[in-house]
Amino acid sequence: MKPYFVVTLLVFSVLCTSCISNKDVVYLQDKEESANTGLVLTEIPKPYRVQVSDVLSIKVKALDPELVGIFNPVADEGSDREQNQSGLYFNGFTIDIHGNIEFPILGEINVLGFTTEEIEEKVKSELLKQYFKENAELFVTVKLAGLRYTVTGEASGGVYTLFQDRVNLIEALANAGDLPDTADRKDILIVRQYPGGQKIHHIDLTDIKAMQSPFYYIQPNDMILVKPLKRKSLGAGQTAIQNITTIASILSVLVSTYFLTRNL
């Protein structure tokens, strides 16, 4: 009877502990079961302040289109997405290690730590001082040349670019093909660049409170690191069927070994 007892206990233990539950894979769960979750939706991300190596797209418009031609480089022809990205890289304004961009006529402009709105005002003010008249009806638009980020670990790894002003973490992962069931959604790591160096932040995407986190919205050059669940490291299956199949294979080997040794 002992062998049957051991096998039964083994099967029961694996089925109870190895399967991946819904709590591990469902995003933004209301773990406190509150009646009103509207308050968690009020988190507004702080304006992004540009950093070294960011690429800016700056467009200048005025009444006289000939006057603004020098400020608006013509991108390479073609509608292919990759060509557009390379065009932004070569024709945009890259922030150097000193926090400056090299702008036509104006020369070096320090923009490190500024928001895009603040850069718009700064460029417009300098153009009116040095090049345009007050009645030129000058209009300056500054945008980040794509929001570039990296996903790696228990996910579809790669470097991705989205042409949006705001991208939350779930959107970024969905763009990368979403996460498999074996990914640890309770501890996503965000490696973020700061003027003083990089920092690692943790966020639990299975908790609705993640939407209040300052790291819920990604920033340019963020690295998203996804860890596997511990049960994957142990080799457990994702479902009961997979576990039963594994157990059946093990038992088959054990039974075969038993009869072979018995007949020797």
Side-chain angles (χ1 to χ4, degrees), residues 66-77:
E66 293 184 1
L67 288 176
V68 300
I70 189 174
F71 304 107
N72 300 319
V74 180
D76 297 334
E77 295 183 358

Side-chain angles (χ1 to χ4, degrees), residues 44-57:
I44 300 176
K46 296 180 181 178
Y48 176 68
R49 297 188 176 277
V50 300
Q51 301 179 38
V52 172
S53 298
D54 281 348
V55 181
L56 301 176
S57 171

Side-chain angles (χ1 to χ4, degrees), residues 48-52 97 112-114 192-199 219:
Y48 176 68
R49 297 188 176 277
V50 300
Q51 301 179 38
V52 172
I97 58 174
L112 185 65
F114 286 70
R192 181 160 294 177
Q193 183 69 43
Y194 294 93
Q198 293 182 323
K199 293 182 181 180
Q219 293 185 3

Side-chain angles (χ1 to χ4, degrees), residues 57 75 88 92 104 133 140 161 166 183 190 211 213 240 262:
S57 171
L88 286 170
K133 296 180 179 180
V140 178
T161 302
R166 293 199 310 163
I190 308 295
M211 300 179 74
S213 170
R262 185 178 180 183

Side-chain angles (χ1 to χ4, degrees), residues 90-152:
F90 289 108
N91 295 305
F93 298 89
T94 303
I95 302 174
D96 65 22
I97 58 174
H98 303 293
N100 300 322
I101 57 172
E102 186 72 29
F103 201 76
I105 302 298
L106 304 182
E108 285 190 347
I109 302 176
N110 188 273
V111 296
L112 185 65
F114 286 70
T115 66
T116 53
E117 290 79 8
E118 291 170 345
I119 298 172
E120 287 176 359
E121 291 299 321
K122 189 169 187 177
V123 171
K124 182 178 179 179
S125 176
E126 292 297 323
L127 286 173
L128 288 173
K129 287 180 183 178
Q130 301 186 36
Y131 193 75
F132 289 93
K133 296 180 179 180
E134 290 292 340
N135 61 356
E137 294 190 17
L138 187 64
F139 186 76
V140 178
T141 303
V142 178
K143 289 184 176 295
L144 286 168
L147 201 161
R148 184 174 178 271
Y149 65 97
T150 302
V151 179
T152 188

